[in-house]
Amino acid sequence: MTLALDAAAQDLLFREARTANTFTDEPVSDEQVQAIYDLVKYAPTSMNQQPLRVVLVRSPEARQRLVQHLGDGNKAKTAAAPLVAILAADNEFHEELPALFPHFPQAKDAFFSERPAREASAAFNGALQVGYFIIGVRAAGLAAGPMTGYDAEGINKEFFGDGEHSVLAVVNIGKPGEDAWYPRSPRLEYDEVVTTV
Amino acid sequence: MTLALDAAAQDLLFREARTANTFTDEPVSDEQVQAIYDLVKYAPTSMNQQPLRVVLVRSPEARQRLVQHLGDGNKAKTAAAPLVAILAADNEFHEELPALFPHFPQAKDAFFSERPAREASAAFNGALQVGYFIIGVRAAGLAAGPMTGYDAEGINKEFFGDGEHSVLAVVNIGKPGEDAWYPRSPRLEYDEVVTTV
C-alpha cells in the first residue's frame, strides 16, 4: 500500500467524488460549512496569506442576483442548488499579513505595497484555497459543483462593492440528486504529466 | 460528527500535516509520486483542462540548476530535500482539450484561441492542481514544503525552453526531519472569512 490515506478516504475525496449538476432538497447548514472551513483552513498558502473569502448565497433575492451573471448552462442548476458559495480573493489580504505571518511582519510592505503584486498573489493562493475548499466539501460527505462560467466583473460589482475582491469560482453544494453527473472525462496519464531531470 | 471523512484522515491531510523545512534521508520513489498523481488526477478542473505539469528534479546537476534561481532562504533546504518537484502550468493545454473534454470539442477554439485567455485559465486551474498535489503528498504519508520564493522567469527558461510553461510552485517532498517546522501561524476565523447574503 503506497498511500497512507485509507482507501475509503481516497474514494470519498478523489476517486468516487464527482462534480455534481443536480442535488437533492436536503439543506446544507452553516454548521457544515463551518466544519469544512475549520478543516481546510490549515492547508498552506504562501506566507500564510489566506486570501480566500466566501459568500454563502442563501436568500432567494441574492440567488437571483447571482444567477443573472452566470453562463446560460450554469443558471438552472445554480438556482436550484441547496447552497451556493461565491469564492473570491481578497486583494487587500496584506492588511492581515502582520498578524498572520508574525515572524516576518515586514512582508506586507516588502512584497505587497503594489496592487498588481497583491492581485497576483491573491489569485494564486486563493486558487489553492479553492482547491482545498472543494476537497473539504467532499470531506463533509457533500458534492461540489464548481463553476467558472460567469461574468466575473458583474459578480465582483454585484457582491463586492469595495472593488477589492475578485471572484475565483462559484460552487454549488449539496447531496447529489438524480443523474447528478456526466460520465467521467479522461485524465492525463502520469507519463503525460510527469518528467524527470 | 459533521464531517464524513474519518478523524485520522483529517489529521493526516490537514490538522497535523505541516509545511516541512527539513527532511530525513529516506528517498521518495517514482512509485510514490505515481500513486500521488493517480489519486489527485481525479480532482476537478474547469472543462477538465488539467494544465499541471510536473518536473521531478532528481539529478544533482539539475538540482543545482534549480537552486540558483531560488530565494536565499529556500536554497539550502531545497538542495538537501529527498525530492524536489517543479509544478508548472502548460499554457498550451488547449491542444489536449478536444480529447479531455470530448462532449464539447469546440471549447478549444471558442475559448482558448488567444494566449492571454489560455494563460489565465492555466494559472487558475494549475493552482487548483497544486493544491490537490500538496494534499496528495500528505495522503502518501509524506511532508510537502511548497515554495513560491524564486525567480520565475529564470526557472521557466532553465527548465522549459519552449516558452510555453509557467512555474507555479516548487515543492520539496520527503519524510519530515528534525525541527521540520515552525510553530503554526494563526488562521483566519470562520467569521472573518465567511459571510452570508
Side-chain angles (χ1 to χ4, degrees):
Chain A
M1 179 138 149
T2 311
L3 295 177
L5 187 70
D6 62 274
Q10 294 176 35
D11 288 341
L12 180 71
L13 301 183
F14 293 102
R15 273 200 298 263
E16 294 184 357
R18 300 292 313 281
T19 289
N21 297 299
T22 71
F23 299 91
T24 70
D25 289 338
E26 194 178 322
V28 177
S29 69
D30 288 348
E31 289 67 28
Q32 286 174 294
V33 181
Q34 176 140 15
I36 292 166
Y37 178 74
D38 283 340
L39 181 68
V40 302
K41 70 183 180 186
Y42 292 115
T45 54
S46 309
M47 293 186 201
N48 201 31
Q49 290 172 24
Q50 303 172 67
L52 182 72
R53 303 292 179 268
V54 179
V55 178
L56 302 179
V57 182
R58 289 209 178 270
S59 74
E61 172 268 331
R63 187 77 65 104
Q64 269 316 108
R65 287 199 289 128
L66 172 62
V67 166
Q68 65 177 329
H69 297 291
L70 301 180
D72 286 340
N74 290 329
K75 284 183 174 173
K77 64 184 176 185
T78 304
L83 179 61
V84 185
I86 302 171
L87 307 189
D90 180 355
N91 294 307
E92 302 299 301
F93 70 87
H94 68 312
E95 297 293 349
E96 325 312 325
L97 204 55
L100 296 178
F101 200 57
H103 56 281
F104 184 36
Q106 302 90 332
K108 175 187 168 186
D109 297 318
F111 298 114
F112 301 115
S113 60
E114 304 290 335
R115 172 76 178 237
R118 293 203 294 279
E119 279 192 18
S121 198
F124 173 73
N125 287 287
L128 287 185
Q129 290 188 282
V130 170
Y132 304 145
F133 186 87
I134 292 168
I135 301 296
V137 168
R138 295 166 164 195
L142 297 168
M147 298 169 285
T148 54
Y150 44 67
D151 169 12
E153 211 40 60
I155 292 178
N156 291 344
K157 283 187 184 145
E158 188 82 40
F159 289 93
F160 306 101
D162 59 6
E164 296 179 352
H165 294 76
S166 301
V167 61
L168 296 166
V170 175
V171 184
N172 295 329
I173 305 171
K175 293 274 189 188
E178 282 186 36
D179 297 322
W181 38 70
Y182 307 110
R184 182 169 252 159
S185 291
R187 295 304 193 264
L188 293 170
E189 298 293 335
Y190 179 78
D191 292 341
E192 297 176 286
V193 169
V194 181
T195 55
T196 300
V197 293
Chain B
M1 182 140 149
T2 311
L3 294 178
L5 187 69
D6 63 274
Q10 294 176 34
D11 288 342
L12 180 72
L13 301 183
F14 293 102
R15 272 200 300 261
E16 292 182 359
R18 300 294 311 282
T19 290
N21 297 299
T22 73
F23 298 91
T24 70
D25 290 336
E26 192 176 324
V28 177
S29 69
D30 287 347
E31 288 68 27
Q32 286 174 294
V33 180
Q34 178 142 13
I36 292 166
Y37 178 73
D38 283 339
L39 182 68
V40 303
K41 70 182 180 187
Y42 293 114
T45 53
S46 309
M47 292 186 202
N48 200 32
Q49 290 172 23
Q50 306 173 64
L52 182 73
R53 304 292 179 267
V54 179
V55 178
L56 302 180
V57 183
R58 289 209 178 270
S59 77
E61 173 268 330
R63 187 78 65 106
Q64 269 315 108
R65 288 198 290 127
L66 172 63
V67 165
Q68 64 176 332
H69 296 291
L70 301 181
D72 286 340
N74 291 330
K75 285 183 175 172
K77 63 184 176 185
T78 304
L83 179 61
V84 184
I86 302 172
L87 307 189
D90 179 356
N91 295 308
E92 301 299 301
F93 70 87
H94 68 311
E95 297 293 350
E96 323 314 323
L97 204 54
L100 296 177
F101 199 59
H103 55 285
F104 184 37
Q106 303 90 330
K108 176 188 169 187
D109 296 317
F111 297 114
F112 301 115
S113 60
E114 304 289 335
R115 172 77 178 237
R118 293 203 294 276
E119 280 192 17
S121 199
F124 173 73
N125 287 288
L128 287 185
Q129 290 187 285
V130 171
Y132 304 145
F133 186 87
I134 292 168
I135 301 297
V137 169
R138 294 166 166 195
L142 298 168
M147 298 170 286
T148 54
Y150 45 67
D151 169 12
E153 211 40 59
I155 292 179
N156 292 344
K157 283 187 186 147
E158 189 81 40
F159 289 92
F160 306 100
D162 58 6
E164 296 180 353
H165 294 75
S166 302
V167 60
L168 296 167
V170 175
V171 183
N172 295 327
I173 304 172
K175 292 272 188 190
E178 284 185 35
D179 298 322
W181 37 72
Y182 307 111
R184 182 168 250 159
S185 292
R187 295 302 193 265
L188 292 170
E189 299 291 337
Y190 179 78
D191 291 341
E192 296 175 287
V193 169
V194 182
T195 54
T196 300
V197 294

